[in-house]
Amino acid sequence: AFVGEKQLSPQFEASNNDWESTKTRAHFAITRALFEKATNVAIGSDTGPALTMPGLSFHRELEILENLNIGKGDILKAATIHSSELVRVNKLCGEIKVGCLADLILLKENPLENLATLVQPQAVFVDGRYLDRQQLLRLREQGKAHHSFYVVMGWLIESLFQ
């Protein structure tokens, strides 16, 4: 099952009964039911609907799921194990075990207690390289300064239809 930023828009309290509010409430109910029935839900940024911003949309999705009272452990499992199973790379990544690729994030807090800590990693091990907090902040600033033409056009087109 796919649960995306655009499908689960940030309308937690629908103030009126228009179609978007009704559709959003239905998506929330479906999402809750999938988790309650222990369905393997996979989450992650895919730049799918209306060119959502990778990374930012991922964290927004975690926040939405948490606000739907989905357990933090279930959310983390959906973001790691289930996501790697969906794209059939679970033999290579998605878990910390012998034989898996070892990209890791070091956090200030336990994400099982506070998912928001994932937004501010203290360090990252990626492709055998260690990136400390300062390097990560520099990369974030570089990312903010650079936007693909296609992403910017997607934002423009999306804003015309909202």
Side-chain angles (χ1 to χ4, degrees):
F2 170 76
V3 180
E5 168 72 8
K6 191 67 176 176
Q7 286 85 353
L8 297 179
S9 64
Q11 301 177 36
F12 288 110
E13 294 101 24
S15 58
N16 56 32
N17 256 343
D18 66 356
W19 169 242
E20 282 299 312
S21 306
T22 303
K23 187 171 73 170
T24 299
R25 285 193 306 274
H27 283 132
F28 289 166
I30 291 167
T31 301
R32 272 192 221 99
L34 288 170
F35 275 94
E36 287 169 5
K37 297 291 183 188
T39 305
N40 285 351
V41 175
I43 59 175
S45 55
D46 68 344
T47 64
L51 297 173
T52 56
M53 178 60 82
L56 298 176
S57 63
F58 174 81
H59 291 291
R60 179 71 179 126
E61 200 167 332
L62 298 180
E63 178 186 348
I64 289 169
L65 292 171
E66 186 173 23
N67 286 334
L68 291 174
N69 295 316
I70 307 297
K72 292 175 183 71
D74 291 332
I75 294 170
L76 291 171
K77 196 180 286 187
T80 56
I81 296 169
H82 295 168
S83 293
S84 68
E85 289 171 348
L86 177 72
V87 294
R88 295 190 172 111
V89 295
N90 51 307
K91 302 279 189 235
L92 297 172
C93 64
E95 294 183 77
I96 302 171
K97 65 181 182 182
V98 174
C100 281
L101 299 175
D103 292 348
L104 299 171
I105 58 175
L106 301 177
L107 304 168
K108 194 171 194 169
E109 297 177 59
N110 182 347
L112 290 170
E113 296 173 11
N114 179 12
L115 285 175
T117 194
L118 294 166
V119 177
Q120 301 288 333
Q122 299 303 299
V124 173
F125 287 96
V126 61
D127 291 330
R129 292 181 32 222
Y130 174 80
L131 302 174
D132 66 22
R133 181 87 183 121
Q134 293 307 313
Q135 291 169 301
L136 294 172
L137 290 173
R138 281 193 298 275
L139 285 172
R140 180 176 286 172
E141 289 307 310
Q142 289 172 2
K144 285 180 185 176
H146 175 72
H147 296 296
S148 144
F149 167 78
Y150 298 104
V151 170
V152 172
M153 291 308 295
W155 290 337
L156 176 63
I157 292 167
E158 183 179 41
S159 69
L160 293 174
F161 294 103
Q162 291 184 358

